[in-house]
Amino acid sequence: MRVDKFLSSVNILKRRSIAQDMCDNGVVKINGNVAKSSKEVRVGDKISLHYLEYTKHYEVLALPTTKTIPKNKSSEYFREILNPSL
């Protein structure tokens, strides 16, 4: 699954277009490497979102099979890493 599609479908980001813009501007990293929006995400990958004042880190636990998932099911697909060692 594409990284932009993953970020929007598991409710990390609100819209896929926002995820694409973030990828185009080098804000999204997968396993420490800057990711294009078409980069494939796999289970176990670590995704970093570098905002202006802070960075959020996530680990992919599963890939969704539908376009969107309910917000209360998001924890099944990713977990936030509080103390990353990237």
Side-chain angles (χ1 to χ4, degrees):
M1 172 176 271
R2 294 169 53 114
V3 67
D4 58 346
K5 195 170 183 180
F6 176 81
L7 291 171
S8 64
S9 65
V10 298
N11 303 307
I12 293 175
L13 296 174
K14 201 169 197 176
R15 285 184 243 121
R16 185 173 174 189
S17 61
I18 294 172
Q20 285 177 323
D21 285 343
M22 289 177 77
C23 290
D24 292 343
N25 291 311
V27 175
V28 180
K29 291 186 177 183
I30 297 178
N31 298 325
N33 299 319
V34 175
K36 293 183 178 180
S37 59
S38 61
K39 173 79 172 147
E40 291 292 316
V41 177
R42 296 184 181 93
V43 174
D45 282 349
K46 292 181 176 37
I47 299 174
S48 302
L49 301 178
H50 300 277
Y51 296 101
L52 292 174
E53 297 180 6
Y54 60 93
T55 301
K56 290 209 170 209
H57 302 276
Y58 303 96
E59 182 179 2
V60 178
L61 301 177
L63 298 176
T65 56
T66 58
K67 187 175 180 180
T68 58
I69 59 166
K71 285 190 177 187
N72 61 354
K73 301 280 186 185
S74 292
S75 62
E76 297 175 11
Y77 297 95
F78 71 91
R79 72 176 178 94
E80 188 170 354
I81 303 171
L82 300 177
N83 295 319
S85 58
L86 293 176

